[in-house]
């Protein structure tokens, strides 16, 4: 009987959904766990940007906020920007100018917003139906205006002479234009004709659009409109400032609207300076604040808080599964944890997750698979962390030669030479490959803004090489030694504590040959 229960506990871990969008809304509501003060912060009516690496729970947080907003009587619109238009087609077509691709992105985004707003009117959830619908009509008109850019030719009869005027007009930016005209006269029979050739292009009129959105917001008062934009970083990097500028000019200033944007910090570009202005959103000014999920659950900063978060996260996911499998009430949270993990295994799982819920779920599922009908122990966690590193993280970064090379140099220096996994990097002149490794969860920022006591003007960030990467090296080394008959004790396989000492932890990337 005990073995059967153990098998059910492990199977429940393996059945946890890996992505929030694959679960239904009721499951998302039941499984959500607030990460510190994150939930309270995003519930504010301020415009905010939510930063977090892949798998940190940005989508889950926005969808949970969507439900909370709807429960209070406000109106929420959730948009997954991966589904807007054709990210891999038109938006990535380098034959078109960034302005052309950006304008099409704006039109597609506004169309998606319009469709969800129209559904509100159809469902009868709008107090001022007439004003709301007039606002929607004006929104469509402002977002879909078409102009022909190209050559126009007009011929008019003046007595016995025909005057022909050819005009070529090109739009250069949003504030300037260039027009060139050439006229030719000829004595031929009188006639009249007009010819226009060129390419139809959309243009978005920010002034009328802003007034239309204000009318829409007024139409749902006293409710507030929440616009939740997910997967911002899926938009091509050079087009992100165009979409941000649309929000700054036509949405952020509107009374009664709150905007939340979920993005990966190092894959987001909200701001581009221009000669006498800027394009996009100035973070901290136009958007009131940023919220970081990466900082909300750093294991090194609060061991107990991280363990409590992940214990609740796993229990919320497995409880309905266990109830269905056992056909009785699921065990309590403490009974679940002690019945699933051997002593020391769960804290090690939390450490291996490095504060990323999706990684924790995948490592737990692999560990449960290794354990089968037994409790999950330390070797199961370490093997699972290694497997997840090799299957997901290392495979993803192998396509980026520079990042892969820098990771190899860091592993050789920090793990091979210093027998550690933590190190310090100066905040100055950091190569882009470091950001790419953080996005791929192969490097983790454990502490920010560490001051060198010997040189107070020098600031460092404290990093750790991924737990799975570290134990993969340990397991491989252990296997090589065992093959030569040199068995090792358990301390050989332990992962060192995350300690930062300036005399040992500072890494000079230039010296490594990056």
């Amino acid at each position: 009987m005990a073995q059967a229960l153990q098998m059910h506990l492990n199977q429940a871990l393996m059945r946890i959904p890996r992505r929030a969008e694959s679960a239904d809304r009721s499951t998302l509501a039941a499984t959500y766990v607030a990460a510190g003060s994150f939930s309270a912060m995003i519930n504010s009516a301020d415009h905010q940007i939510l930063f977090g690496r892949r798998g940190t729970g940005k989508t889950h947080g926005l969808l949970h906020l969507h439900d909370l907003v709807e429960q209070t009587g406000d109106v929420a619109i959730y948009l997954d920007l991966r589904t807007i238009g054709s990210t891999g087609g038109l938006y990535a077509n380098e034959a078109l100018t960034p302005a052309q691709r950006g304008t099409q992105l704006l039109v597609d985004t506004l169309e998606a917003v319009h469709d969800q707003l129209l559904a509100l009117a159809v469902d009868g959830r709008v107090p001022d139906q007439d004003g709301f619908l007039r606002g929607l009509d004006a929104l469509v008109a402002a977002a879909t205006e078409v102009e022909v850019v190209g050559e126009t030719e007009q011929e008019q009869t003046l007595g016995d002479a025909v005057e022909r005027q050819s005009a070529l007009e090109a739009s250069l930016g949003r504030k300037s234009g260039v027009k060139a005209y050439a006229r030719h006269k000829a004595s031929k029979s009188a006639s009249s004709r007009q010819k226009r050739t060129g390419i139809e292009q959309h243009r978005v009129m920010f002034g009328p659009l802003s007034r239309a959105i204000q009318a829409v917001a007024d139409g749902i008062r006293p409710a507030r409109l929440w616009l939740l934009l997910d997967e911002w970083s899926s938009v091509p990097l050079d087009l992100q400032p165009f979409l941000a500028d649309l929000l700054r000019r036509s949405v952020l200033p509107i009374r009664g609207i709150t905007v939340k944007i979920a993005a990966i910090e190092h894959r987001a570009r909200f701001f581009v300076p221009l000669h006498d202005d800027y394009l996009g959103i100035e973070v901290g000014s136009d958007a009131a604040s940023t919220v970081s999920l990466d900082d909300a659950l750093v294991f090194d900063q609060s061991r107990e808080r991280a363990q409590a978060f992940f214990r609740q996260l796993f229990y919320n996911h497995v409880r309905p599964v266990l109830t269905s499998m056992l056909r009785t009430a699921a065990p309590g949270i403490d009974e679940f944890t002690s019945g699933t993990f051997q002593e020391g295994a769960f804290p090690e799982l939390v450490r291996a997750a490095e504060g990323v819920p999706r990684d924790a779920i995948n490592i737990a599922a692999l560990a449960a698979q290794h354990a089968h009908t037994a409790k999950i122990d330390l070797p199961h966690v370490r093997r699972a962390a290694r497997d997840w590193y090799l299957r997901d993280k290392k495979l993803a970064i192998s396509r980026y030669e520079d990042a892969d090379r820098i990771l190899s140099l860091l592993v050789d220096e920090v793990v091979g030479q210093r027998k550690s996994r933590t190190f310090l990097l100066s905040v100055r002149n950091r190569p882009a490959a470091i950001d790419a490794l953080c996005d791929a969860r192969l490097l983790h920022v454990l502490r920010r803004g560490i001051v060198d006591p010997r040189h107070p003007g020098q600031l460092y960030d404290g990093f750790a090489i991924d737990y799975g990467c570290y134990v993969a090296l340990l397991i491989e080394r252990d296997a090589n030694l065992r093959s030569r008959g040199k068995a090792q004790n358990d301390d050989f396989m332990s992962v060192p504590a995350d300690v930062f000492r300036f005399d040992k932890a500072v890494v000079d990337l230039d010296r490594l040959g990056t």
Side-chain angles (χ1 to χ4, degrees), residues 59-218:
T59 297
H60 200 162
L62 284 185
L63 291 174
H64 178 68
L65 177 61
H66 181 283
D67 288 345
L68 290 180
V69 165
E70 293 282 329
Q71 290 171 14
T72 62
D74 283 349
V75 174
I77 293 178
Y78 170 84
L79 286 182
D80 183 343
L81 293 177
R82 293 174 302 178
T83 66
I84 301 298
S86 176
T87 301
L90 173 63
Y91 302 154
N93 184 358
E94 295 183 357
L96 301 175
T97 66
Q100 289 173 312
R101 293 183 289 128
T103 302
Q104 187 60 54
L105 171 64
L106 304 189
V107 172
D108 291 342
T109 304
L110 291 170
E111 181 182 357
V113 171
H114 171 271
D115 290 346
Q116 291 205 34
L117 290 173
L118 184 60
L120 293 177
V122 173
D123 293 340
R125 298 175 55 191
V126 179
D128 181 5
Q129 190 93 349
D130 291 339
F132 183 82
L133 291 176
R134 282 196 300 271
L136 283 185
D137 290 342
L139 188 153
V140 171
T144 58
E145 182 168 333
V146 175
E147 65 176 347
V148 176
V149 178
E151 185 178 87
T152 62
E153 186 176 275
Q154 184 174 357
E155 186 178 273
Q156 294 179 340
T157 300
L158 297 175
D160 293 332
V162 176
E163 182 182 85
R164 175 175 296 173
Q165 173 180 289
S166 293
L168 182 64
E169 179 178 343
S171 297
L172 301 177
R174 52 190 169 85
K175 291 185 178 180
S176 61
V178 174
K179 296 182 179 179
Y181 297 94
R183 296 192 176 189
H184 308 280
K185 287 188 177 181
S187 321
K188 293 191 177 179
S189 58
S191 63
S192 177
R193 71 186 182 91
Q194 182 174 356
K195 180 182 179 183
R196 170 175 287 183
T197 60
I199 300 173
E200 283 194 348
Q201 292 186 353
H202 289 287
R203 61 179 179 181
V204 177
M205 307 296 290
F206 287 123
L209 178 62
S210 180
R211 292 190 290 272
I213 295 176
Q214 183 65 71
V216 168
D218 291 341

Side-chain angles (χ1 to χ4, degrees), residues 379-399:
H380 293 144
V381 171
R382 289 170 178 157
R383 284 177 57 196
R386 176 203 60 182
D387 293 347
W388 182 238
Y389 158 73
L390 293 174
R391 293 181 189 181
D392 180 80
K393 300 180 181 181
K394 183 166 180 57
L395 187 63
I397 205 64
S398 63
R399 300 190 295 260

